[in-house]
């Protein structure tokens, strides 16, 4: 089985360096242009899957055209709660933000959001269902989701969530032998 993990193209949140998980943003013009310059060679007959969010749907379209696909909400990005659509400079003086980023970042829950641990549990449930099917699959999803999957599949690499996150439009090909950066 080949599993392609592709991060959605660039959004306004990526350009502004703000937290965006549950907000359903479209791609920017720059993001669309960058995707149109990419050429992936996916195997014939592979299954296509997205998180169902606009940015993943658009990414699939700009990479592959109008292909039949399924959506699975388990592959949505982390919900940053009250910090959604805000950046560090705007949040840095808030006590609740400082509390969230201090200590165990994976376990800490942003107000009205979800923790990295909660998101990873959801994502791994989706991954297990996907792997049980055993089909070549292209999953268009989010940076945090890809990082959670890669951390789980390759713990011996000792990489953190941010070290696994590919650039917008980038990703990994995962096989039984290991992985390669796309």
């Amino acid at each position: 089985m080949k599993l392609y993990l592709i991060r959605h193209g660039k959004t306004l949140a990526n350009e502004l360096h703000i937290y965006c998980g549950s907000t359903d943003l479209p791609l920017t013009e720059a993001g669309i242009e960058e995707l149109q310059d990419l050429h992936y060679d996916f195997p014939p007959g592979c299954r296509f899957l997205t998180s169902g969010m606009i940015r993943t749907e658009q990414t699939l379209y700009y990479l592959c055209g109008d292909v039949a696909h399924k959506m699975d909400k388990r592959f949505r990005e982390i919900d940053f709660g009250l910090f959604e659509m805000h950046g560090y400079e705007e949040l840095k003086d808030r006590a609740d933000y400082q509390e969230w980023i201090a200590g165990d970042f994976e376990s800490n829950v942003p107000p009205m959001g979800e923790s990295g641990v909660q998101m990873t549990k959801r994502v791994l449930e989706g991954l297990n269902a996907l792997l049980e099917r055993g089909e070549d699959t292209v999953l268009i999803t989010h940076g945090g989701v890809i990082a959670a999957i890669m951390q789980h599949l390759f713990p011996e690499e000792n990489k953190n969530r941010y070290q696994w996150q590919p650039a917008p439009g980038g990703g990994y090909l995962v096989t039984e032998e290991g992985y390669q950066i796309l």
Side-chain angles (χ1 to χ4, degrees), residues 7-12 14-15 26-38 55 58-59 62-63 168-170:
R7 185 178 179 187
H8 63 79
K10 195 177 291 179
T11 66
L12 182 61
N14 298 126
E15 292 176 1
L27 301 176
T28 61
E29 286 301 316
I32 291 169
E33 288 174 17
E34 289 170 2
L35 290 173
Q36 290 172 329
D37 290 338
L38 296 174
R55 57 193 180 264
Q58 288 179 315
T59 298
Y62 286 109
L63 289 178

Side-chain angles (χ1 to χ4, degrees), residues 58-173:
Q58 288 179 315
T59 298
L60 176 62
Y61 176 79
Y62 286 109
L63 289 178
C64 303
D66 191 17
V67 297
H69 67 284
K70 300 282 185 188
M71 297 175 228
D72 189 332
K73 292 180 179 183
R74 292 177 290 191
F75 294 111
R76 290 191 173 190
E77 185 60 277
I78 193 169
D79 182 349
F80 292 106
L82 293 181
F83 306 142
E84 186 83 14
M85 299 305 293
H86 299 284
Y88 175 79
E89 287 300 317
E90 187 179 354
L91 297 170
K92 68 182 180 184
D93 295 325
R94 288 180 56 159
D96 56 354
Y97 179 74
Q98 287 301 318
E99 184 178 323
W100 177 59
I101 63 172
D104 185 356
F105 187 72
E106 287 297 310
S107 296
N108 290 351
V109 180
M112 299 176 65
E114 68 180 331
S115 71
V117 170
Q118 291 168 324
M119 185 267 298
T120 297
K121 181 178 186 269
R122 169 174 48 83
V123 167
L124 294 182
E125 287 172 2
L127 177 66
N128 288 335
L130 192 152
L131 294 175
E132 284 177 14
R133 292 180 66 112
E135 300 173 312
D136 289 347
T137 303
V138 175
L139 173 58
I140 310 289
T141 188
H142 309 269
V145 171
I146 292 171
I149 290 170
M150 295 300 287
Q151 256 185 326
H152 172 74
L153 294 177
F154 302 99
E156 69 279 2
E157 299 250 347
N158 279 334
K159 292 183 180 179
N160 68 39
R161 184 176 303 274
Y162 299 101
Q163 292 170 312
W164 279 117
Q165 283 193 17
Y172 299 95
L173 167 58

